[in-house]
Amino acid sequence: MYNTISDVLLYFINKYPYPDELSKTRITKMVYLADLYKTQVIGEQLTEIKWYFDHYGPYVSDVYDAAKKDNRISFENTFSAFGHPKTVIRKNNTQEDLEYLYLEEEDKKILDQVIEETKYLNWTDFIDFVYNTKPIITNDKYNYLDLKSEN
């Protein structure tokens, strides 16, 4: 069974220790890593996203679209440390924890792994980390990524 993108987003929003770093692009690539990691362990993605390798690495609008549809999630337009505009994904209210009812314990462990492996990476190191995953280094840009065949 696949998880909803919203459940994955809400988990990251609740658990990621640096909420100001959860830009639209970063959180999308974190969902990609979660899908990749689950595929490596179970042979199945965490979500049903069909990942595309565009000019900026693994990116699809599915993550942002799911966030826009979920009234528990809001967006803040701000700027990076370098003065570039960025959109940060946040909780829409002051609830202590947002619910992500349908995540299995195994899935939470995978999401925790993504958080642990990326939380101390600055933007450049984070992008290098993502771009060094096997589906990216073994495929050409402007193609869909088959995460299952990369294991």
Side-chain angles (χ1 to χ4, degrees):
M1 180 179 123
Y2 292 107
N3 291 286
T4 68
I5 298 168
S6 287
D7 282 339
V8 174
L9 290 174
L10 293 170
Y11 192 88
F12 282 146
I13 290 168
N14 264 341
K15 302 291 184 178
Y16 198 73
Y18 308 106
D20 290 341
E21 297 302 316
L22 287 179
S23 67
K24 178 175 76 169
T25 304
R26 187 177 189 113
I27 204 166
T28 297
K29 289 177 183 353
M30 289 173 65
V31 174
Y32 158 78
L33 290 171
D35 273 346
L36 177 61
Y37 290 178
K38 182 161 183 185
T39 302
Q40 291 171 340
V41 173
I42 305 291
E44 177 180 299
Q45 289 184 197
L46 196 65
T47 71
E48 292 185 282
I49 294 173
K50 188 172 181 181
W51 289 100
Y52 187 75
F53 183 4
D54 78 357
H55 183 70
Y56 299 105
Y59 194 83
V60 291
S61 65
D62 302 45
V63 175
Y64 183 65
D65 293 344
K68 285 193 309 190
K69 291 177 186 173
D70 194 315
N71 64 2
R72 299 169 293 177
I73 298 173
S74 66
F75 304 92
E76 178 184 351
N77 293 318
T78 185
F79 295 93
S80 72
F82 302 106
H84 299 114
K86 74 176 183 179
T87 301
V88 176
I89 297 179
R90 301 195 182 282
K91 295 179 188 183
N92 194 28
N93 52 40
T94 58
Q95 288 175 263
E96 177 94 10
D97 287 319
L98 296 173
E99 292 184 33
Y100 28 85
L101 301 173
Y102 301 105
L103 292 175
E104 301 287 336
E105 286 306 311
E106 298 84 21
D107 296 338
K108 291 177 186 177
K109 288 178 185 177
I110 289 168
L111 297 175
D112 288 339
Q113 179 184 355
V114 171
I115 291 169
E116 283 302 309
E117 291 183 1
T118 63
K119 68 183 179 183
Y120 296 122
L121 299 177
N122 65 33
W123 180 247
T124 301
D125 292 340
F126 175 75
I127 291 300
D128 287 346
F129 183 83
V130 172
Y131 283 25
N132 280 309
T133 58
K134 190 174 180 186
I136 299 302
I137 59 177
T138 59
N139 283 281
D140 294 325
K141 286 183 180 181
Y142 313 113
N143 287 296
Y144 285 97
L145 299 170
D146 182 1
L147 303 186
K148 289 181 185 179
S149 70
E150 296 296 328
N151 295 309

